Amino acid sequence: MSQSSFSRPTRIRQRPLIGVACVLFVGVSASLSQSPLSAKEAVRLNNLGVAYMNQQMIDKALVLFKQAIVADDVLAVPHLNAGIAMLSVQRASEAKAELERAAQLDPGDPRVWYNLGLVERGQNNGDSTIQDFLRVLKLDATNADAHYFLGSGYTDLKDYVHAIDEYRAALHLVPLH
C-alpha cells in the first residue's frame, strides 16, 4: 500500500532560493489607460499564471505569462513573473532575458533586480551578482535576503570584510535568518 502524497515528509530542494513570489496585479488603473482591453487581458492572464505558480504548475503558468506579454508587452510584471517561473525550472538564460525586459520597463522594482541577482549568482557572475543586489538595497534597504545574497556574493569574491557586514545587516533585519 502506497503512502498518500500528503503524508510524505517534505524534501528541501537544493535550488537557489527564489524568495520573491510571483506578483499579482492589484489596482493597475494607470497602466489600463493606454490600451484598456489588452491591458485588462494581460492582467487577467498574469493573475491566472500566478495561481498556477502557487500550485507549482510552472509550465501552465509560463504559458499564461507569455500570453499576458503578447496581450500587452509594456507591462513589466508578466515579464517578471515569467522570469521567476523560468528561474524556478532552471532555465537561466530565458529567465535572464525576461528579467532584463522587466528591468527596462520598471527599473525601480527591487524584485526584478533581486531575481536578476539570483540568475547571476547561479551563473557564478560575482560582479554582476553584487551589482544587482546593491541595486535591490538601493531601492529597499530593509531586504534581508538581498543583504544575505550580497554577503554571499562578497564571500565568493573573497571580500570577507564586506561579506561580514552584509551578513550582519541580514541578521539585524531578521535575527533568525
Side-chain angles (χ1 to χ4, degrees), residues 3-66:
Q3 288 183 318
S4 121
S5 63
F6 295 109
S7 62
R8 285 188 214 144
T10 305
R11 294 177 124 186
I12 298 174
R13 293 185 180 174
Q14 293 183 343
R15 283 195 230 167
L17 174 67
I18 297 302
V20 177
C22 287
V23 182
L24 186 68
F25 273 117
V26 179
V28 291
S29 59
S31 63
L32 295 181
S33 62
Q34 61 190 60
S35 57
L37 294 177
S38 61
K40 284 183 182 179
E41 181 64 5
V43 169
R44 184 185 74 77
L45 292 166
N46 178 77
N47 290 347
L48 287 172
V50 170
Y52 280 123
M53 281 289 290
N54 288 334
Q55 297 174 42
Q56 300 299 310
M57 301 170 95
I58 309 301
D59 291 332
K60 288 183 179 184
L62 275 169
V63 168
L64 290 164
F65 295 142
K66 288 178 183 178

Side-chain angles (χ1 to χ4, degrees), residues 32-177:
L32 295 181
S33 62
Q34 61 190 60
S35 57
L37 294 177
S38 61
K40 284 183 182 179
E41 181 64 5
V43 169
R44 184 185 74 77
L45 292 166
N46 178 77
N47 290 347
L48 287 172
V50 170
Y52 280 123
M53 281 289 290
N54 288 334
Q55 297 174 42
Q56 300 299 310
M57 301 170 95
I58 309 301
D59 291 332
K60 288 183 179 184
L62 275 169
V63 168
L64 290 164
F65 295 142
K66 288 178 183 178
Q67 289 174 356
I69 290 166
V70 169
D72 193 338
D73 190 42
V74 299
L75 295 175
V77 172
H79 290 282
L80 170 61
N81 287 339
I84 293 169
M86 289 175 190
L87 183 58
S88 73
V89 292
Q90 301 184 9
R91 290 166 47 186
S93 61
E94 294 171 84
K96 185 174 181 177
E98 287 298 338
L99 293 166
E100 286 174 342
R101 177 69 176 137
Q104 290 173 346
L105 295 169
D106 188 2
D109 187 343
R111 300 168 300 193
V112 173
W113 301 106
Y114 180 89
N115 284 286
L116 272 170
L118 292 177
V119 170
E120 296 293 351
R121 177 150 172 68
Q123 295 178 330
N124 296 317
N125 296 331
D127 291 330
S128 296
T129 299
I130 288 171
Q131 292 308 311
D132 289 336
F133 286 115
L134 283 171
R135 191 131 186 206
V136 172
L137 294 171
K138 183 177 179 184
L139 296 166
D140 178 10
T142 64
N143 189 320
D145 291 330
H147 281 289
Y148 172 82
F149 282 114
L150 182 55
S152 185
Y154 283 131
T155 299
D156 292 344
L157 295 177
K158 299 185 184 345
D159 182 350
Y160 301 116
V161 172
H162 285 106
I164 290 169
D165 289 343
E166 293 305 324
Y167 289 137
R168 284 184 176 148
L171 286 170
H172 175 74
L173 292 166
V174 180
L176 298 177
H177 206 287

